[in-house]
Amino acid sequence: MIGRCLAGVLLGFPLAAVMLRLFLRVLPNDGADWVIPALIAFFPLWMAWMIGAFAFRNAVRAWATLGGANAAAFLMLWLTHHAG
Amino acid sequence: MKAATLRTFQTVHTWTGLLAGFALFVAFYAGALTVFHDAIAAWQNPPWRTARDADVPISTLIERLVAEHPQAKDDFGIILPSDAAHAAYAYWQDDHGTRFATYSEMAKPSDEANRGNLADFVYELHDSLGIPVVGLYLMGIVSVLYGLALISGFLIHLPHLVSDLFAMRVSHNLKRLWQDAHNAIGVLSLPFHIIFAVTGSLLCLFTITLAALNTVAFDGKLYDAFAQAVTTAPSLPVSHTTAPMLPPETLIAQAQQAATTGGVSSFEPDYLHYMHYGDRNAVAEVRGLSQHTLGTYGTVALLAMDGKALSTHVGTRHTINGITNSAMYGLHFGTFGGNFVKWLYFVLGLAGAFLFYSGNLLWIESRRKRRHVDQPTRTRVMARATIGVCIGTCLGISGAFAAALVTSHLGTDSEIAQRVACYGLFLAACMYACVRPIPRATVELLAATSVLTITVVCADLIGNASALLNTASPQSFAVLGVDLTGIVLGLIFALLARATARRARQGDPRSVWALASTS
């Protein structure tokens, strides 16, 4: 229980942050017109990941899946940054 | 959903609810009152008791500000009064931080606005439990836990949503009745609770969240992007040429005119902000509240020299950032639909407080040993904590109202008196709940809250009777409204005391709430 909770809190935070950054990046002008909606969306997204972490069978799966999702999201952020 | 997953969500719901429940009760009870912030301010300082400096024109206030504190010229704000009986005050930054002053306080400005304002004190309880700095972050964490409790509660309820929603099984099984009431209120007011979980988290944790997101994902560019997103006035370069400024009253009238082009039917200015006052390029920004729109707060920026509108962010003329920012405040504070929405928020706020109270009762009932007179210690501790904190909060807030009433008649400072009365009564209630038999403590604390609440509002009604009969203004109706609402709340506390007493005598003798099992 504690392991899944920590996975959701600690890995859900950067995952939600990077997802929003990617969302803003695909919009014109680097998403300047959508900064406030993105900030508002941050907490529901983080909460969704925290709750989602409890749906995994055990802590190892939660850490592995959310860790993998973080790695993929950061990689995409890095690629979009260097692509344009 | 698998049974094991459902059980996990049940555990998450219980623990997040228990961890956050007490703080949320305070936030919701004080928050329901905060919906009528301006009415409570009018109750403390009614329109027939004219405040010092109320007759000072805003232009005179500004002239004295720039004469005595010339460094403020670059950037200062004027908080406009809600009625003619109260004074406008200025605020600006100097070497000591933010300073506040009305006209007569200009030589000795304060570092706090509206010292001793009861409405602001209730708001402080709502957003930070009255604890400086740390309280706000604590309530932010509580809001996140609240969001988790909501989602998990909804997921648990989802499989039986339609069949159970309107089931109110009134029978001898009290636990099931509480469960049905808890579920129905939780699901029916879900959109309202989602709004608070999201906006509450953001409003309380904004500073640290912005800093964290800026570092984690935005390469240090988020601060600039955010500043750009919320800027409503163009930044004009200082011309270094002095120019006469239009009177603030004229600028406000021009702003109202410009606001109506944004498709709103009303625009009530509450704040005026100047940049580079006295310069030819000085900008004045007027913020106002419009009704019947989600983007309730809007601003109009004008050239302070001639009143030319530079930008209008009102109604349909908001940007996407502006409308969502304004909507966030509107949705949190219920400012978007006139009095109907305010009353709706008030009722839903009280229902929210009930949701956390009933959640604790359910926890107690679920762990009750049905065949034992002697209940487990944890059940008794939770019962004592629940009545101490929840009823103690209601008693403490009524105490703050009493202190405000007494000090306003004595003409003394209400700041300390309000805090002492509120926290003192709260702590006294908690201690009382710890030492007295549980059912007796519950009934007596509810009765005390009822008596105090009704006494305060009756004393206020009697003291202001002639003024209320002779003054017909929205502000005097607000005072009357606060008193009448107080009477209704006092009667509700009395009814709850009577129901609890009946339960203590006639209910299941093996419950912690029964007189037979007093411990």
Side-chain angles (χ1 to χ4, degrees):
Chain A
M1 195 81 182
I2 297 287
R4 283 178 288 177
C5 175
L6 285 175
V9 174
L10 299 177
L11 295 179
F13 191 98
L15 185 56
V18 175
M19 283 173 73
L20 291 176
R21 181 72 187 102
L22 286 169
F23 164 71
L24 289 179
R25 191 154 272 179
V26 297
L27 294 173
N29 196 17
D30 213 17
D33 293 340
W34 290 81
V35 172
I36 305 289
L39 284 173
I40 294 174
F42 171 74
F43 278 98
L45 201 55
W46 185 27
M47 286 172 195
W49 286 122
M50 279 193 260
I51 281 290
F54 287 108
F56 291 105
R57 200 178 303 161
N58 54 45
V60 176
R61 281 178 189 237
W63 278 91
T65 312
L66 288 177
N70 262 292
F74 274 99
L75 181 68
M76 273 180 72
L77 189 64
W78 185 81
L79 286 173
T80 53
H81 183 72
H82 284 84
Chain B
M1 203 183 309
K2 277 191 246 162
T5 313
L6 214 56
R7 269 199 305 279
T8 309
F9 285 144
Q10 180 75 60
T11 313
V12 173
H13 184 67
T14 305
W15 278 103
T16 47
L18 286 178
L19 285 171
F22 289 126
L24 286 172
F25 182 92
V26 182
F28 270 76
Y29 186 74
L33 302 181
T34 292
V35 171
F36 293 107
H37 178 279
D38 293 349
I40 294 171
W43 183 85
Q44 190 184 20
N45 294 304
W48 48 86
R49 205 182 301 143
T50 304
R52 196 169 56 163
D53 298 336
D55 55 346
V56 175
I58 298 160
S59 44
T60 313
L61 170 69
I62 294 175
E63 277 164 26
R64 183 153 183 198
L65 167 71
V66 295
E68 291 204 22
H69 305 279
Q71 80 278 17
K73 272 184 177 182
D74 263 355
D75 196 312
F76 66 88
I78 303 288
I79 307 292
L80 305 171
S82 54
D83 64 76
H86 294 99
Y89 64 90
Y91 87 89
W92 68 99
Q93 302 277 339
D94 69 8
D95 301 339
H96 304 285
T98 310
R99 317 298 280 163
F100 302 86
T102 62
Y103 178 80
S104 60
E105 297 162 348
M106 205 52 84
K108 213 177 162 192
S110 150
D111 55 2
E112 195 184 334
N114 281 331
R115 200 177 136 78
N117 188 329
L118 175 67
D120 287 351
F121 176 62
V122 175
Y123 178 75
E124 229 179 283
L125 292 174
H126 161 70
D127 85 335
S128 60
L129 307 176
I131 308 167
V133 190
V134 182
L136 195 69
Y137 295 132
L138 176 74
M139 288 311 283
I141 296 166
V142 163
S143 301
V144 174
L145 289 172
Y146 168 37
L148 297 179
L150 276 183
I151 305 172
S152 52
F154 183 72
L155 290 172
I156 301 161
H157 206 48
L158 198 58
H160 313 286
L161 191 63
V162 179
S163 60
D164 285 2
L165 184 57
F166 295 108
M168 197 63 77
R169 288 160 290 191
V170 184
S171 69
H172 66 279
N173 187 343
L174 268 175
K175 190 211 161 189
R176 202 159 60 186
L177 178 65
W178 279 106
Q179 180 85 63
D180 290 341
H182 181 85
N183 293 350
I185 291 178
V187 173
L188 289 176
S189 49
L190 190 66
F192 174 79
H193 287 286
I194 290 171
I195 288 169
F196 288 129
V198 174
T199 56
S201 309
L202 196 62
L203 291 172
C204 293
L205 296 176
F206 182 74
T207 324
I208 49 173
T209 306
L210 201 68
L213 295 186
N214 187 46
T215 311
V216 171
F218 284 80
D219 309 324
K221 292 176 188 156
L222 186 57
Y223 284 124
D224 282 347
F226 175 74
Q228 244 180 356
V230 292
T231 300
T232 50
S235 145
L236 300 183
V238 190
S239 72
H240 299 292
T241 312
T242 53
M245 302 284 98
L246 269 189
E249 293 79 6
T250 314
L251 288 172
I252 288 170
Q254 303 265 57
Q256 279 175 313
Q257 205 176 9
T260 51
T261 62
V264 292
S265 53
S266 66
F267 184 76
E268 294 299 327
D270 65 351
Y271 171 65
L272 182 59
H273 176 212
Y274 280 97
M275 281 165 283
H276 312 305
Y277 185 85
D279 189 85
R280 206 181 56 185
N281 279 351
V283 174
E285 207 179 359
V286 182
R287 189 185 76 181
L289 192 66
S290 303
Q291 292 297 338
H292 308 107
T293 166
L294 255 187
T296 42
Y297 278 107
T299 53
V300 179
L302 312 136
L303 205 55
M305 187 180 69
D306 58 8
K308 184 183 146 207
L310 297 170
S311 66
T312 305
H313 294 263
V314 179
T316 53
R317 299 187 66 182
H318 266 301
T319 58
I320 293 165
N321 282 320
I323 190 85
T324 42
N325 197 24
S326 183
M328 181 175 71
Y329 286 95
L331 285 168
H332 190 93
F333 295 104
T335 52
F336 56 91
N339 279 330
F340 172 75
V341 169
K342 281 190 171 184
W343 280 106
L344 184 71
Y345 265 58
F346 179 74
V347 172
L348 286 170
L350 293 181
F354 172 81
L355 199 67
F356 309 118
Y357 186 69
S358 61
N360 281 13
L361 295 188
L362 282 172
W363 189 89
I364 293 166
E365 281 297 300
S366 304
R367 277 143 194 87
R368 184 149 75 83
K369 302 287 177 201
R370 301 202 175 277
R371 293 193 180 81
H372 297 197
V373 174
D374 191 24
Q375 293 297 318
T377 309
R378 61 178 179 175
T379 312
R380 278 186 276 123
V381 168
M382 180 53 103
R384 288 186 190 283
T386 301
I387 54 170
V389 173
C390 297
I391 309 174
T393 299
C394 305
L395 183 65
I397 290 178
S398 293
F401 274 74
L405 185 68
V406 172
T407 49
S408 75
H409 281 280
L410 294 176
T412 52
D413 183 20
S414 60
E415 165 83 7
I416 306 290
Q418 275 163 201
R419 282 180 195 274
V420 169
C422 182
Y423 296 135
L425 282 172
F426 173 78
L427 290 174
C430 289
M431 287 197 292
Y432 195 74
C434 287
V435 295
R436 195 81 174 120
I438 296 166
R440 290 190 200 283
T442 315
V443 175
E444 288 156 4
L445 286 174
L446 282 167
T449 310
S450 168
V451 170
L452 180 63
T453 311
I454 292 178
T455 307
V456 171
V457 293
C458 284
D460 189 63
L461 275 176
I462 294 165
N464 292 322
S466 67
L468 279 168
L469 287 171
N470 295 321
T471 324
S473 72
Q475 298 296 317
S476 51
F477 287 132
V479 175
L480 187 64
V482 171
D483 283 330
L484 296 180
T485 309
I487 291 177
V488 173
L489 280 177
L491 291 175
I492 292 173
F493 286 123
L495 288 174
L496 287 172
R498 198 178 70 156
T500 314
R502 191 181 297 157
R503 164 111 204 249
R505 285 193 308 272
Q506 298 166 5
D508 187 340
R510 289 178 291 271
S511 158
V512 288
W513 308 108
L515 273 171
S517 72
T518 51
S519 49

